[in-house]
Amino acid sequence: MTSITFSARTIKDAASASTQCAILPIFKGEKLSPAARQLDSASSGAISAALKLGDFSGKPGETLLLPGPGPVKRLLLIGCGEAKKFNREAAMDFCGKVYNSLNGSAARDALLYLADRAIKDGDTAWLLSYLARRLVSASYRYTETVSKPKPALKLGKLSVSVGGDIGTGAARKALEQGRCMGLGVNQACELANLPGNICTPTYLAQQARKLGRGNDKLSVSVLEEKKMRELGMGALLSVSAGSEQPAKLIVMNYSGGKSSQKPYVLVGKGITFDSGGISLKPGAKMDEMKFDMGGAASVFGTVRALTEMQLPLNVVAIVAAAENMPSGRATKPGDVVKSMSGKTIEVLNTDAEGRLVLCDALTYAERFKPKAVVDIATLTGACVVALGSHATGLYANQDELAEELLAAGTETHDRAWRMPLWDDYQKQIKSNFADLANVGGPGGGSITAACFLARFAEKFHWAHLDIAGSAWNSAPKGATGRPVSLLTRYLMDRAGV
Ligand code: BES
Ligand code: MN
Ligand code: ZN
């Protein structure tokens, strides 16, 4: 896969700056920017002619590709609509158009002349960071198991000419942050897209070791089933019991901060295939349960982003990896298992396996004396019913943590919506035969799942992200890389970046 490099500078004379494609944002009804005027006169008025002929008016989403003058091979005009309506949403659409236009072009480099127009509800640094992330993540292609993958983006280099409202140093930093985030998103997409026969718990463990290699700030350890048994992780092990694939508890320890600083802990649900187990799922769309390690994938992606950025803080990333399968050795409905915390659990439905692997991973997280713990899981179909695919479900036992995560999601347009964790729901997961049942009946399925997890997260500030709706798309099928951007932004904020 080709990777894009980004740079920022200030160009005084657009007509003499050589590029395969000069990109000009054009606002409806506004006079041309200085760069556009220079390119217009160098091309004998090609831009003003297009505007005059009505071929291009600057409407949002409109694009026009023209041959450029001299060292400028192409001119790409992109409509941005009315300047006074240019907000983050319009800016995101603009970035999408930049990608689409370049994707259809043979240009290997491009030069974007930033509009001298402020975004209503954001700033230029935000735009550059978003642009870099969007271009990097849009250029991701799944290639691993296809003979003729979709053609790669030709573009290898994007320069941005910045003006008054941001210096080149700040612009470079914003682009770099967005690029790192994009790499993290792509890492998550790749792992989540891989089929279950390749991406097994063992494969995930290998990938973690690979991430750790050559990075002295990242140390990786993998707990095997034997060790998990010694620790009393009966809940986690009850999920892998029916599978030929051994479970792995993967721990990636990133020390970017002082050793005295308490770590932020991420915990990812890593069910590499969820058949439902003995409570077998129906056949339709069962293939999509290869994405049931989307939480784990987002943890990997976030680790990738923060190591790329070299964030100055400590993070422990835990992935609870297992495959959920039926067999003669599989856990049965009605079985009672004992978790590492000592709490016993009646497994009423073997398809509610995510909370079983997570509860032991949460108990394991206690030993790191975390500042906060965030788990990420494709946990419930009920969350998809409640929120669809646009919002991730957010639960937290502390308001400040909830606010910080919501803010990170808003900032990156990787949005979450807070859901209740009220005690009232706890009675739904009572059992006559154990301390807890693993399902809570038909109402509020995403909430009762979160309430189950809350019982294992009483010793620290904790949040849970239910990404069942946001982690992948069904048409066309593919991972989204969410919520890597949210998590990375959250950690950047904590690191004061
Ligand atoms: N991985 C699924 C949740 C899921 C289902 C995510 C569909 C995305 C799309 C999870 O393990 C599961 O099966 N949950 C059950 C819980 C139920 C048995 C209480 C569900 O949501 O049906
Ligand atoms: Mn399940
Ligand atoms: Zn599952």
Side-chain angles (χ1 to χ4, degrees), residues 274 276 281 292 324 351-353:
D274 180 12
K281 284 184 180 294
D292 208 18
N324 188 20
D351 197 10
E353 83 299 336

Side-chain angles (χ1 to χ4, degrees), residues 152-448:
L153 182 72
K154 300 265 185 343
L155 184 84
K157 188 174 179 316
L158 182 83
S159 306
V160 182
S161 174
V162 295
D165 60 339
I166 190 169
T168 49
R172 278 184 203 121
K173 209 169 101 188
L175 287 164
E176 174 59 9
Q177 285 171 352
R179 189 188 70 90
C180 293
M181 232 186 237
L183 290 176
V185 168
N186 292 356
Q187 166 94 57
C189 285
E190 178 68 5
L191 288 175
N193 284 334
L194 283 171
N197 60 331
I198 294 177
C199 186
T200 59
T202 302
Y203 180 89
L204 285 178
Q206 284 164 356
Q207 291 307 301
R209 290 203 186 89
K210 205 169 130 189
L211 263 179
R213 240 173 273 138
N215 192 328
D216 55 358
K217 288 201 174 94
L218 190 70
S219 67
V220 174
S221 57
V222 177
L223 275 65
E224 306 293 334
E225 289 198 343
K226 179 165 175 284
K227 180 74 191 169
M228 291 189 251
R229 204 159 289 120
E230 284 164 24
L231 288 167
M233 295 184 167
L236 194 159
L237 290 168
S238 76
V239 174
S240 61
S243 170
E244 298 292 322
Q245 299 291 339
K248 306 275 173 177
L249 191 76
I250 303 162
V251 183
M252 294 173 271
N253 205 318
Y254 172 77
S255 13
K258 295 199 192 74
S259 59
S260 59
Q261 284 173 339
K262 288 181 173 176
Y264 293 89
V265 176
L266 303 177
V267 179
K269 170 179 172 182
I271 301 298
T272 58
F273 187 72
D274 180 12
S275 69
I278 297 298
S279 313
L280 193 66
K281 284 184 180 294
K285 297 218 279 186
M286 205 209 267
D287 61 292
E288 293 188 11
M289 283 299 117
K290 72 169 185 178
F291 294 121
D292 208 18
M293 35 60 73
S298 75
V299 167
F300 274 95
T302 304
V303 169
R304 173 81 197 273
L306 70 95
T307 55
E308 290 281 340
M309 285 186 205
Q310 297 278 306
L311 283 189
L313 84 176
N314 297 328
V315 175
V316 178
I318 303 173
V319 166
E323 189 186 60
N324 188 20
M325 293 290 275
S327 84
R329 269 191 277 273
T331 300
K332 305 171 291 298
D335 285 1
V336 174
V337 300
K338 189 168 187 177
S339 67
M340 184 182 174
S341 72
K343 289 187 174 82
T344 56
I345 302 160
E346 185 183 14
V347 182
L348 289 174
N349 189 321
T350 64
D351 197 10
E353 83 299 336
R355 62 200 83 181
L356 297 175
V357 299
L358 288 172
C359 72
D360 279 339
L362 287 170
T363 302
Y364 188 74
E366 285 173 12
R367 68 184 53 209
F368 300 106
K369 303 196 170 33
K371 210 172 237 162
V373 178
V374 181
D375 80 64
I376 309 98
T378 50
L379 203 61
T380 62
C383 189
V384 191
V385 175
L387 296 174
S389 62
H390 301 295
T392 290
L394 166 73
Y395 298 83
N397 64 9
Q398 199 227 8
D399 291 340
E400 199 181 317
L401 175 59
E403 296 298 332
E404 289 166 351
L405 289 163
L406 288 171
T410 303
E411 181 67 15
T412 51
H413 201 71
D414 184 1
R415 292 180 292 182
W417 190 256
R418 192 166 182 190
M419 304 277 281
L421 260 186
W422 301 329
D423 267 345
D424 310 55
Y425 292 97
Q426 285 290 346
K427 61 176 177 297
Q428 287 180 241
I429 49 173
K430 282 197 167 129
S431 159
N432 278 341
F433 304 105
D435 302 334
L436 285 165
N438 80 328
V439 294
S446 176
I447 303 170
T448 51

Side-chain angles (χ1 to χ4, degrees), residues 138-151:
S139 63
Y140 164 78
R141 304 282 187 276
Y142 177 81
T143 62
E144 194 59 31
T145 49
V146 281
S147 310
K148 289 200 180 94
K150 296 207 178 75

